[in-house]
Amino acid sequence: MLTEQPQKLRAAGSHKVDPVVTEIIRNGLVAITEQMKTNLMRTACNMIIYEAQDFTVGLFDTRGQIVSIGIGLPMFIRGMSDTVKAMLAHFGPGGIHPEDVLVTNDAFITGSHLNHMTFAVPIFHGEDIVGFSACMAHWQDIGGALDGMTKDIFSEGLQMPIVKLYRRGEPSEDLFAVIRMNVRLPERAMGDLNAQIAATRLGSRRFLELIERYGRDAVLGGIAAIMDHTEAIAREQVLSIPDGVYEAESFMDDDGIDNGRRIPIKVKVTVSGDEMAVDLTEVGEQVKGFYNSGEATGRACCQVAFKCLTSPIEKPINEGSFRPLKIILPPGRVVSAVRPSPMRWWMTFPMTIVDTIFKALASAIPDRVIAAHHADLMSCMINGRMPDDGKIYLVSGGLIGGGWGAKKGQDGSSATICINDGDTHNSPVEQIEAKYPMLVERYALREDSGGAGTWQGGLGVEKVVRAVNEFMFNVQIERVHCRPWGLFGGHPGAGNQVSVRCGNEPELSFPSGKVLARLLKAGEAYILRSGGGGGYGSPLDRPIEQIESDLREGYISKQRAERCYGIVFRPGGDVVDVAATPARRAALRPSYDHLDWSDTVEPQPGGNAAEEFFRAGNAAIFKRCC
């Protein structure tokens, strides 16, 4: 029974393992979670799962520790494990049986918003539980308010406590009825529910097949050996970081309610021998708006950064990776919010904490960190009615990616999804236009958005989407003002930006990055511009031939080349004067690092036009559009 498992697991860990069989088990675990992932994508009903891949699957041991996570959303790495642990604690010894299906979306357990439904099934071998198979995925709708800001968890939709959706294989029809009544598109919700259950059951079957093939002791002993090996790799990497206390800070623009009131992000990293501690005590307190996340996500911030620095390619992702890491996180912070804080946009602040942890360690390990990235999912929530039949539709628009920071020896990646969303994909233009009354007018890299540097930050993206039929538009982007910083003389990248275009009127830009409950009529459009990554190293050291390539590709403008990179062009043309450029760079160098580069990104169309447009006496048009 379950009460016997810790002792049996310890015995398995002390069992002498065959290294060849253990390596087969290692790859088997990765294959199982990848197959679970593929199964879910092929059977889910909502595009946010099968296209955007907003989900994660995993296998867990009898204590809820991570055995293998299918590559998906890194921030789920802690939430899934904590949810399995909470399920174990809730039902207690002997309270879980074969063919049970457990479920919850409790935001204060998962650490994220109510849209993330988490299913888990126990894996029984004989009469004993040998592990759990689980899946956390984003449901397009979970009820609650569609538009505007939420101020507590109750307004954000259906809260499902830890319950059994199936008991010994028998469905709980009452729970199915509750779910159907609380969502707007029940047929799609039920489709995703069944897809998640199928994925978890598949994981259970494949894990048992592994046991049948190699034996229970070999599999459980192999898992223990894999965790120990992963721990050893992580400790070795921590040992290579000089001992010390490293601190850094940044900020978030605001919480969507107290506009312009910055939320501090301060981190302290202590390295001592082969262990690291990350202290988030001075991260800002939980906020009124829906940008909070739970403790599981706060700890996931630290674990994601730690994994990137110590064992980024080690698979399977498992609990051993995090044994050398200590996390200090008091309750009541913006990433450890307590009830009943709103958490709808839980994913935004954590990725800046990851950026700031890298920033703190830059002086200690300059060759292993990157400059800051655009750090926002660039997603907007859209709802409307189909013009042909009047049925409601819900779309998570955006997901366009942006610029990542440069690192020593390499430019940043362009048009890449933010760090906490890992394998989440952008939404194909063809899918959006085929399924919804929208037309994508432009989808392109954003010139000059990457921070200048010896290694240049990646470029952001501009996406212009026109309404074919009216819809409600909500966007909640961050890091408009906290632009992605550079390292070691690298310049900051462009910040994120959102605008709307109403007819022939000037484009209206929103300095807060937040536009809530706005009706866009047919012919009007929204524009998302993701930020670029920060640069690394002095721009004056970037090779001239690389700058010539950047100019040819349209990554930078002639003005950027002249101002930031010290390039001289031949008179009357766009050809770089290779002979004159070194002298100009040498003349610039003594004062270059003391100049203010905060305006290196040219203002985008609209700039602060919203305010200027209003002041010019166009208040009626402004109110209709904005």
Side-chain angles (χ1 to χ4, degrees):
M1 300 300 292
L2 184 61
T3 52
E4 300 170 352
Q5 288 310 298
Q7 182 178 353
K8 292 190 176 184
L9 191 60
R10 285 194 293 273
S14 62
H15 177 75
K16 186 176 181 180
V17 296
D18 183 324
V20 175
V21 173
T22 297
E23 195 61 23
I24 294 172
I25 291 166
R26 177 197 299 275
N27 287 279
L29 295 170
V30 174
I32 290 169
T33 48
E34 285 303 304
Q35 189 176 10
M36 291 169 66
K37 178 178 176 179
T38 301
N39 185 281
L40 178 61
M41 290 171 60
R42 288 180 174 177
T43 56
C45 290
N46 278 294
M47 196 162 68
I48 197 165
I49 296 179
Y50 65 75
E51 282 289 354
Q53 299 187 34
D54 190 346
F55 67 86
T56 301
V57 297
L59 297 172
F60 303 84
D61 69 13
T62 57
R63 290 172 284 175
Q65 296 185 110
I66 303 164
V67 170
S68 177
I69 290 282
I71 300 301
L73 270 70
M75 285 300 167
F76 286 179
I77 201 167
R78 191 74 267 144
M80 287 181 69
S81 176
D82 283 5
T83 301
V84 173
K85 290 176 181 176
M87 289 171 170
L88 280 164
H90 178 79
F91 289 108
I96 298 175
H97 306 98
E99 297 188 71
D100 283 352
V101 176
L102 319 178
V103 64
T104 187
N105 72 337
D106 187 335
F108 298 92
I109 296 174
T110 67
S112 57
H113 55 191
L114 298 177
N115 297 74
H116 287 155
M117 277 287 187
T118 304
F119 294 81
V121 299
I123 305 173
F124 273 84
H125 185 250
E127 295 183 355
D128 298 326
I129 295 178
V130 292
F132 289 85
S133 174
C135 172
M136 179 187 286
H138 183 114
W139 284 20
Q140 186 69 58
D141 175 55
I142 199 67
L146 280 178
D147 302 306
M149 176 63 66
T150 55
K151 297 181 182 180
D152 61 36
I153 197 69
F154 304 107
S155 57
E156 296 185 345
L158 171 66
Q159 296 185 72
M160 182 67 70
I162 296 172
V163 294
K164 289 187 179 183
L165 198 61
Y166 284 78
R167 291 180 178 271
R168 303 178 189 264
E170 293 298 320
S172 172
E173 295 298 343
D174 290 343
L175 290 176
F176 278 94
V178 168
I179 294 172
R180 288 191 190 97
M181 184 170 282
N182 279 276
V183 296
R184 295 176 177 85
L185 300 169
E187 67 282 359
R188 289 183 175 270
M190 291 300 104
D192 289 343
L193 178 150
N194 288 324
Q196 286 186 258
I197 293 174
T200 55
R201 286 174 170 166
L202 175 66
S204 175
R205 290 199 307 273
R206 293 292 183 260
F207 190 79
L208 288 174
E209 288 171 5
L210 206 60
I211 287 177
E212 291 301 321
R213 180 173 297 180
Y214 298 104
R216 185 156 125 183
D217 283 348
V219 172
L220 299 185
I223 289 171
I226 291 166
M227 288 189 182
D228 290 345
H229 177 253
T230 309
E231 176 187 0
I233 291 173
R235 288 190 182 279
E236 183 179 6
Q237 290 299 310
V238 177
L239 271 173
S240 69
I241 303 173
D243 286 0
V245 178
Y246 306 97
E247 300 182 71
E249 61 182 284
S250 58
F251 65 91
M252 305 307 297
D253 296 343
D254 59 49
D255 70 346
I257 292 179
D258 293 327
N259 293 328
R261 183 179 178 182
R262 294 179 174 181
I263 295 98
I265 304 294
K266 297 181 181 180
V267 305
K268 180 167 71 174
V269 181
T270 303
V271 178
S272 179
D274 63 356
E275 295 190 342
M276 179 185 292
V278 179
D279 188 345
L280 302 183
T281 301
E282 293 191 72
V283 168
E285 295 181 356
Q286 62 190 55
V287 293
K288 299 175 187 175
F290 53 29
Y291 290 91
N292 300 291
S293 52
E295 180 188 350
T297 295
R299 291 192 287 133
C301 299
C302 306
Q303 291 187 335
V304 168
F306 185 77
K307 176 73 174 172
C308 290
L309 294 170
T310 59
S311 55
I313 61 174
E314 189 67 19
K315 290 184 179 180
I317 299 169
N318 64 77
E319 203 73 39
S321 301
F322 312 115
R323 289 174 182 167
L325 176 65
K326 179 183 178 182
I327 299 167
I328 303 166
L329 178 59
R333 302 298 183 266
V334 74
V335 287
S336 59
V338 298
R339 296 183 192 276
S341 300
M343 294 172 63
R344 172 168 286 178
W345 229 244
W346 71 280
M347 74 293 274
T348 302
F349 288 11
M351 62 189 93
T352 293
I353 292 177
V354 176
D355 263 359
T356 310
I357 292 172
F358 292 154
K359 182 181 182 181
L361 288 165
S363 62
I365 44 174
D367 57 336
R368 284 155 60 183
V369 298
I370 65 172
H373 76 313
H374 68 290
D376 196 283
L377 195 56
M378 298 301 296
S379 177
C380 50
M381 303 307 296
I382 295 168
N383 65 86
R385 297 279 176 177
M386 297 299 291
D388 52 351
D389 58 13
K391 288 185 178 180
I392 191 170
Y393 67 87
L394 308 173
V395 183
S396 295
L399 306 181
I400 60 177
W404 276 53
K407 63 181 181 180
K408 187 175 183 179
Q410 186 175 326
D411 289 349
S413 298
S414 299
T416 301
I417 208 74
C418 50
I419 194 166
N420 75 326
D421 279 74
D423 268 7
T424 301
H425 294 181
N426 62 33
S427 301
V429 167
E430 294 80 5
Q431 286 275 13
I432 293 292
E433 293 183 336
K435 293 178 181 294
Y436 306 108
M438 302 176 188
L439 180 67
V440 180
E441 294 183 350
R442 177 175 170 81
Y443 200 9
L445 292 175
R446 188 180 172 192
E447 184 185 67
D448 284 347
S449 56
T454 308
W455 297 283
Q456 186 168 261
L459 298 181
V461 171
E462 180 181 74
K463 189 173 187 178
V464 182
V465 181
R466 173 156 50 95
V468 175
N469 198 53
E470 69 178 29
F471 55 70
M472 295 298 294
F473 175 67
N474 296 265
V475 67
Q476 304 92 353
I477 68 171
E478 257 288 335
R479 297 285 291 273
V480 175
H481 302 289
C482 180
R483 289 168 48 194
W485 54 82
L487 294 176
F488 305 106
H491 294 181
N496 300 310
Q497 188 187 56
V498 58
S499 300
V500 296
R501 190 185 67 214
C502 304
N504 296 321
E505 304 301 336
E507 180 183 316
L508 304 176
S509 172
F510 294 84
S512 72
K514 300 167 180 70
V515 186
L516 302 174
R518 308 299 178 186
L519 178 67
L520 289 186
K521 296 185 177 181
E524 299 175 347
Y526 70 84
I527 302 118
L528 299 177
R529 296 187 179 96
S530 57
Y536 188 111
S538 173
L540 297 181
D541 293 325
R542 187 167 178 82
I544 294 174
E545 59 271 20
Q546 185 61 58
I547 297 170
E548 290 177 312
S549 174
D550 295 338
L551 287 163
R552 286 194 301 271
E553 297 293 337
Y555 296 161
I556 64 172
S557 64
K558 181 179 178 180
Q559 292 73 24
R560 166 67 67 91
E562 290 175 320
R563 185 174 180 217
C564 297
Y565 288 105
I567 295 296
V568 177
F569 290 89
R570 293 178 183 174
D574 295 331
V575 178
V576 175
D577 191 328
V578 177
T581 293
R584 181 164 187 260
R585 285 180 154 188
L588 286 172
R589 199 173 292 275
S591 59
Y592 187 88
D593 291 339
H594 301 290
L595 298 175
D596 178 12
W597 297 105
S598 61
D599 63 343
T600 51
V601 179
E602 293 297 319
Q604 295 297 321
N608 284 329
E611 182 179 354
E612 296 169 5
F613 191 66
F614 189 89
R615 289 177 177 174
N618 297 297
I621 297 175
F622 181 87
K623 289 177 180 177
R624 179 178 68 82
C625 296
C626 310

